Amino acid sequence: MDIKRVLIADDDAVTRHILRAALEEWNYEVVSCSNGTEALAVLLAPDAPQVAILDWIMPDVSGPEICARVRREGSVPYPIMLLLTIKEGTKNLVEGLAAGADDYLVKPIAPSELQARLQAAWRVVESHDELLSVQHKLESLAARDDLTNAWNRRAVLDILRGEISRAARGTPVAVAMVDVDHFKQVNDQYGHQVGDEVLIEFVRRVGHTIRDYDDLARYGGEEFLIVFPGCDVPCALGLCERVRRCVVETPFDTSAGPIMLSVSIGVAICGGASDSAGPPRDRRGMIQEIIAHADAALYAAKRGGRDRLMVYEDSKHA
């Protein structure tokens, strides 16, 4: 973390000046507020400072009240909050900590104590950031296919759930089920390692072919699902033809040599003019339905000779 931002909130101008001078000398970036209302607005904003020094007694909103509001309404991770007080005694300190404060400083403040408390606060901030980074990485890994790094089935169903919500408001979404033709023969003839190489290269090619905001997932085995947001039938046909051609027109370089492959693609549309009329359906039912339609169109493409795409429309294949 390059910039260390600290909020100072105190209605006494002299105290604010002394604190600001000390913190800036220690290379902190300071945000200064003269009352609790201003401090609360800053701490509830998306870009809140990571550490706050709050005077206990302010005429509008007190330091403990700010702590309680931030813990209740603020976003995670919460800022580390230190109360600045002339109060002494265990009862008063327990009151401040119970409100949500992380630490306290008693006036008059010794510079060495202030510096030590800030350093301790910053170690906590950095630990929080490291934990969040690890959490985000773990969440990303849990949503990705181990072999190809495409989205996995669970992740793409979550993505599709959001797109189905938009489709219910009139924005179409296309779903394409893509199957690598005769993939079992690749595994039988060349081995599973070569089969894995093919799948990895397939995801790389398709990822470069579809739009940045389309989503590609490994649905199972050699079967993949692509979500095309805001896409009607002509749009879906154009994008899926690009996918088909990116596979069939160039051999796959593998450790066993070049291999020519093709794909079969089934497409279904939800929302917009292409969505068939009918009784209202829940979101889960709509997800199952559009995937079933794409899957039916895929098998029609396979029965039609493979290396082709077909669209499911109004209970028939077109």
Side-chain angles (χ1 to χ4, degrees):
M1 184 178 299
D2 297 326
I3 300 176
K4 298 181 177 181
R5 299 175 68 230
V6 179
L7 169 73
I8 298 170
D10 199 306
D11 59 333
D12 181 64
V14 174
T15 301
R16 290 199 310 273
H17 175 76
I18 292 171
L19 289 173
R20 175 185 281 276
L23 268 61
E24 289 180 345
E25 183 179 347
W26 300 329
N27 297 318
Y28 291 100
E29 181 181 294
V30 176
V31 179
S32 182
C33 296
S34 60
N35 59 66
T37 302
E38 292 178 4
L40 188 57
V42 171
L43 291 175
L44 291 178
D47 58 343
Q50 300 96 329
V51 176
I53 301 173
L54 308 169
D55 191 24
W56 188 300
I57 300 173
M58 288 183 281
D60 51 354
V61 185
S62 71
E65 288 173 331
I66 293 172
C67 293
R69 285 278 303 277
V70 170
R71 297 299 183 220
R72 188 169 62 248
E73 302 173 22
S75 59
V76 178
Y78 302 114
I80 305 301
M81 293 181 286
L82 288 66
L83 285 175
L84 192 59
T85 181
I86 57 172
K87 293 174 177 282
E88 294 183 356
T90 302
K91 181 180 178 182
N92 289 326
L93 296 177
V94 168
E95 178 188 342
L97 295 173
D102 297 283
D103 207 342
Y104 67 94
L105 290 158
V106 178
K107 297 179 180 179
I109 307 164
S112 58
E113 183 182 2
L114 173 62
Q115 188 173 28
R117 297 294 177 94
L118 283 172
Q119 288 172 345
W122 218 264
R123 285 195 293 271
V124 175
V125 170
E126 290 172 342
S127 296
H128 284 176
D129 288 345
E130 290 173 4
L131 286 172
L132 283 174
S133 177
V134 170
Q135 180 182 341
H136 291 156
K137 289 178 181 177
L138 290 174
E139 289 173 351
S140 178
L141 288 173
R144 294 287 180 176
D145 174 59
D146 290 340
L147 175 66
T148 64
N149 202 40
W151 295 119
N152 59 27
R153 178 190 287 228
R154 184 178 65 179
V156 79
L157 291 179
D158 286 340
I159 291 168
L160 187 54
R161 188 172 293 111
E163 295 303 329
I164 289 291
S165 295
R166 281 182 278 277
R169 298 192 294 270
T171 302
V173 58
V175 170
M177 195 70 77
V178 185
D179 187 85
V180 180
D181 294 329
H182 303 299
F183 183 74
K184 184 177 183 300
Q185 294 180 12
V186 174
N187 281 334
D188 291 345
Q189 183 172 351
Y190 302 106
H192 288 278
Q193 179 179 336
V194 172
D196 288 348
E197 293 172 16
V198 166
L199 295 179
I200 292 168
E201 172 61 12
F202 170 85
V203 167
R204 188 196 68 79
R205 287 191 193 184
V206 174
H208 282 89
T209 301
I210 60 179
R211 304 170 301 183
D212 291 342
Y213 49 90
D214 297 328
D215 292 288
L216 169 66
R218 188 179 182 192
Y219 201 68
E222 70 275 18
E223 198 168 65
F224 294 83
L225 190 145
I226 309 175
V227 178
F228 297 109
C231 206
D232 56 12
V233 171
C235 170
L237 288 172
L239 290 168
C240 289
E241 175 60 13
R242 283 165 53 183
V243 169
R244 187 194 68 80
R245 292 180 63 180
C246 86
V247 173
V248 75
E249 290 182 348
T250 306
F252 282 65
D253 289 327
T254 73
S255 55
I259 299 175
M260 293 298 299
L261 293 168
S262 64
V263 290
S264 300
I265 305 174
V267 181
I269 311 293
C270 180
S274 299
D275 200 20
S276 59
R281 293 151 290 170
D282 61 35
R283 195 174 306 167
R284 183 177 178 183
M286 292 176 72
I287 291 171
Q288 292 172 342
E289 182 177 280
I290 191 173
I291 291 176
H293 288 177
D295 204 43
L298 168 65
Y299 280 97
K302 284 184 166 297
R303 287 195 302 270
R306 295 183 170 86
D307 187 22
R308 67 193 60 209
L309 61 98
M310 299 191 77
V311 179
Y312 187 99
E313 289 186 330
D314 297 332
S315 302
K316 64 181 182 298
H317 305 301

